Each structure stands twice: as structure tokens, then as C-alpha cells.
Amino acid sequence: MCTAARVATLIGRKFHVSYSVSGATRLMHRLGFSAQGPTRRVAERGEQAVTAWKEATWAEVKEPGRPAGATSASRTRQASPAGRPGDVPGDGAATPRR
């Protein structure tokens, strides 16, 4: 997490706003950044073993992603029109005033 600490320090210096390391991490995730692994690979890496693990184990372990249409920037869930009662304002039926 040294990168998140550096980002938090940079934000503080540039914008005079204080972020904790976990706050900077959440901010980076919201902006689409993710944790990155090392760019170099070890010389002893067994490519055949890695490929076999990916095909056999990773397919079982990996969680399915959300459907493309189900994403939202809002933290609250939108109400479903089907779940609304029919006698509330805005249901489309004109109700006479008394």
C-alpha cells in the first residue's frame, strides 16, 4: 500500500485535502484504478503449471461479474416501478380532488 500512501501525500500537497491511506485506496478504486502486481516475472516460473491452474482452478474460484446493465454510480438502490403501490401520486391514473 505504499502507492496509496504516496497518492494520499500527493493529494494533500497538491489540493490541501487530507486523505488516509484507506481513503486514498477507495478513491483510486472509484476512479477505476486497481492494485497492480510486479511487472517482472520470475525466471523459475512454470508456464505450463500456471496455464493448467488457470484452466482448472481459476474457472471454479472466479466469481461471476455483474451484468453490464446493473451498474450504477449511486450508492442507493433505485426503486422498481413494479414494486410501487397503485394508489400513490404519479401512478399514471388521475385521481379526483375533493
Side-chain angles (χ1 to χ4, degrees):
M1 284 290 168
C2 68
T3 303
R6 289 178 181 176
V7 169
T9 302
L10 177 67
I11 291 171
R13 288 180 183 166
K14 184 93 172 157
F15 301 105
H16 306 289
V17 177
S18 176
Y19 272 97
S20 65
V21 174
S22 62
T25 302
R26 285 192 301 269
L27 178 65
M28 289 190 298
H29 281 281
R30 269 192 276 154
L31 294 173
F33 293 98
S34 61
Q36 300 295 309
T39 56
R40 296 184 340 204
R41 292 192 178 172
V42 286
E44 300 86 20
R45 178 176 162 149
E47 290 298 327
Q48 292 177 341
V50 171
T51 304
W53 181 87
K54 283 182 180 178
E55 291 174 356
T57 308
W58 181 244
E60 296 174 15
V61 174
K62 185 179 175 186
E63 294 181 15
R66 291 187 289 181
T71 59
S72 172
S74 174
R75 289 183 174 228
T76 60
R77 184 181 290 177
Q78 282 187 327
S80 170
R84 294 183 186 151
D87 60 345
V88 295
D91 68 345
T95 55
R97 291 187 173 201
R98 294 182 194 198

